[in-house]
Amino acid sequence: MLWTSVHTATVFSSCYEPTKCCGIVTKKDHREILEIDSKPALVVYREWLSTLKAAEDAAAGSISEADQSHVQELVSLMRGDAASIGDKLFELSTMRPLGSRGDDDFFQLMHPEAITDREGIRLFADVEEGQELTLMTTSSSDLVDLVEAATDAPAVGKFCETLQGALAFYCAGCSLKIQDQINDVAKNLSTSLRGQPFMGILPYGEQGTDGAGSVRHGNLMYSLLLFGRTKH
């Protein structure tokens, strides 16, 4: 147990948006999704990626050329069989992970690690049967820019009026995608934290609390521990 000398608050969020592609986990084995809507998870994820890619192609200019190339590589990989995909999925799925919706439009993200020989999707986070999953999307620019809105919620903004510092956890998987733009993430976090000092950490796997106050573990997310005014 820890008792702090200052008031604290937390933020747990991501730089991703939900798509219209969603389904229910109907079979799983620990951190492996075997079936979504009673179909092999590989088949469903492939269909979702193709559906989103078609929508993005129709909306010309909606994503950068570099991101478009990255997504096309993922879509092309997923056209293969389970053996040919394997753990190659890890590096390409960062921009198109899965999410589980909670209270207050909170999405807990899950990073697809590999396709198994059972045509399942192995994750870096827990999953449950009956859980609804949504295909999530982001862009390289969103992974950098959206952290600036980390403290925009009214209650958090009010807390930050007496902010003294923070710990900031930003997923290492996201940092691998944006590479040298990580310094811009730090600048945007500094803006959201009103210029107060903070220490940044790049973990694989993040924890925080959702809108209902439940502790969650997710991937490809960011988490802030805010230090406010001194307790008296």
Side-chain angles (χ1 to χ4, degrees):
M1 298 292 290
L2 296 175
W3 287 267
T4 63
S5 61
V6 298
H7 292 275
T8 61
T10 61
V11 175
F12 193 35
S13 189
S14 77
C15 300
Y16 292 74
E17 295 292 335
T19 70
K20 295 181 180 180
C21 300
C22 58
I24 303 296
V25 177
T26 47
K27 189 176 181 181
K28 67 98 179 186
D29 183 8
H30 190 46
R31 288 186 168 182
E32 180 183 354
I33 306 169
L34 296 172
E35 294 181 0
I36 300 173
D37 294 337
S38 300
K39 295 191 292 186
L42 162 61
V43 173
V44 175
Y45 188 52
R46 178 191 290 148
E47 291 174 352
W48 288 356
L49 290 172
S50 296
T51 297
L52 182 59
K53 179 68 166 57
E56 290 171 342
D57 289 346
S62 60
I63 62 176
S64 70
E65 289 186 9
D67 286 351
Q68 192 172 23
S69 176
H70 182 95
V71 171
Q72 181 58 58
E73 191 175 354
L74 171 60
V75 171
S76 298
L77 174 69
M78 290 300 297
R79 289 181 182 139
D81 58 20
S84 66
I85 300 170
D87 59 8
K88 296 175 186 175
L89 181 61
F90 166 62
E91 292 186 7
L92 293 175
S93 61
T94 301
M95 294 179 65
R96 300 293 184 267
L98 302 173
S100 175
R101 185 173 182 169
D103 296 327
D104 300 327
D105 293 328
F106 171 87
F107 279 88
Q108 171 196 359
L109 268 59
M110 306 168 182
H111 191 174
E113 173 195 2
I115 297 297
T116 69
D117 56 8
R118 299 185 287 184
E119 295 194 331
I121 301 174
R122 190 166 64 237
L123 308 168
F124 286 111
D126 294 338
V127 66
E128 300 296 334
E129 288 185 6
Q131 194 169 10
E132 183 178 60
L133 297 182
T134 299
L135 180 67
M136 307 294 288
T137 180
T138 192
S139 66
S140 296
S141 58
D142 282 350
L143 289 175
V144 175
D145 297 338
L146 293 187
V147 294
E148 191 169 338
T151 59
D152 279 2
V156 179
K158 181 67 175 177
F159 182 91
C160 287
E161 291 177 2
T162 57
L163 187 69
Q164 297 191 68
L167 284 177
F169 302 84
Y170 182 88
C171 178
C174 294
S175 73
L176 289 175
K177 179 66 184 73
I178 60 174
Q179 296 288 325
D180 55 0
Q181 288 182 284
I182 192 64
N183 288 333
D184 294 322
V185 172
K187 291 176 183 177
N188 290 334
L189 276 172
S190 180
T191 298
S192 72
L193 296 172
R194 313 317 197 248
Q196 294 299 323
F198 71 94
M199 177 173 17
I201 301 168
L202 303 176
Y204 284 107
E206 299 74 52
Q207 295 189 25
T209 55
D210 61 18
S214 299
V215 177
R216 297 290 197 102
H217 164 263
N219 311 133
L220 303 172
M221 303 183 72
Y222 64 82
S223 181
L224 304 179
L225 175 58
L226 308 175
F227 303 112
R229 59 185 175 83
T230 303
K231 293 179 179 177
H232 298 292

